[in-house]
């Protein structure tokens, strides 16, 4: 029979309270247990003495009989100095998932497309302005040429009239 030292949840809805129990690993979380060896009240402040209460003699007894603590209970036992818990390091956990990477890539691509469209619009506006200036210059040159032609015709008519 493999023994576990684990938490059994009690308390009301949204008001958790845990018993630290020694139980067969096959029994349900809140079901049958062999012995209650402490309590854990997560609603109390971290520095409160009543937050975690352990019967250290019974914990030592069950550890010597082969009971294995769960990760959370191992944290409590490490704080009490009964066992040593090695800190975990999972750098993969901090990396974003596949869906998030896809969304960020789509967002970046959309941003690039938007920037390219804005740049193209800016270029089109600049080209239209250049075309307008060229058209205005051509119109002004044409108007000036027609004025000169009109002046020449008027000068010729004046010359003929004076003769």
């Amino acid at each position: 029979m493999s023994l576990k030292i684990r938490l059994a949840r009690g308390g009301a809805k949204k008001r958790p309270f845990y018993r630290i129990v020694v139980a067969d690993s096959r029994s349900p979380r809140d079901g049958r247990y062999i012995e209650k060896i402490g309590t854990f009240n997560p609603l109390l402040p971290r520095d409160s003495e009543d937050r975690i209460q352990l019967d250290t003699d019974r914990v030592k007894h069950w550890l010597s009989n082969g009971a294995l603590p769960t990760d959370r209970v191992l944290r409590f036992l490490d704080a009490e100095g009964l066992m040593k818990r090695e800190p975990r390091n999972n750098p993969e956990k901090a990396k974003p998932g596949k869906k998030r990477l896809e969304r960020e890539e789509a967002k970046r691509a959309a941003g690039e497309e938007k920037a390219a469209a804005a740049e193209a619009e800016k270029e089109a506006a600049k080209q239209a302005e250049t075309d307008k200036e060229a058209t205005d210059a051509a119109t002004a040159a044409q108007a000036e040429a027609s004025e000169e032609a009109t002046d020449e015709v008027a000068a010729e008519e004046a010359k003929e009239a004076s003769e």
Side-chain angles (χ1 to χ4, degrees):
M1 172 167 72
S2 62
L3 298 175
K4 287 279 191 182
I5 301 176
R6 65 181 180 202
L7 299 175
R9 191 181 194 280
K13 181 179 178 182
K14 300 195 183 238
R15 306 276 305 163
F17 183 84
Y18 297 93
R19 291 183 306 270
I20 302 171
V21 298
V22 176
D24 181 8
S25 64
R26 297 169 292 186
S27 64
R29 178 191 73 175
D30 301 334
R32 191 177 63 175
Y33 58 88
I34 299 169
E35 183 181 359
K36 175 184 162 191
I37 57 175
T39 60
F40 169 56
N41 187 353
L43 298 178
L44 295 176
R46 288 187 186 268
D47 57 353
S48 174
E49 292 181 14
D50 295 333
R51 182 176 165 99
I52 300 169
Q53 295 179 342
L54 280 173
D55 185 355
T56 55
D57 293 335
R58 295 307 296 167
V59 171
K60 288 177 186 175
H61 166 75
W62 285 111
L63 289 174
S64 67
N65 284 344
L68 296 174
T70 59
D71 187 50
R72 179 60 53 184
V73 174
L74 185 57
R75 288 174 184 255
F76 301 153
L77 298 180
D78 186 32
E80 291 286 322
L82 298 174
M83 286 187 80
K84 181 69 178 148
R85 178 182 170 270
E86 295 297 322
R88 294 183 176 181
N89 183 15
N90 185 1
E92 297 295 318
K93 187 173 182 177
K95 292 182 181 176
K98 189 189 305 183
K99 292 269 188 178
R100 180 174 171 195
L101 290 174
E102 289 172 1
R103 283 193 301 267
E104 288 176 352
E105 179 63 30
K107 189 175 182 180
R108 186 189 58 75
E112 287 178 359
E113 289 176 9
K114 190 174 181 180
E119 186 66 31
E121 189 175 305
K122 207 182 268 187
E123 287 293 324
K126 201 182 268 187
Q127 185 65 34
E129 188 176 312
T130 307
D131 290 347
K132 185 178 177 189
E133 287 175 3
T135 307
D136 290 346
T139 306
Q142 196 174 28
E144 197 174 302
S146 67
E147 274 184 35
E148 288 178 12
T150 308
D151 290 342
E152 285 179 17
V153 170
E156 283 182 23
E157 287 179 2
K159 190 177 185 184
E160 286 179 8
S162 62
E163 287 180 3

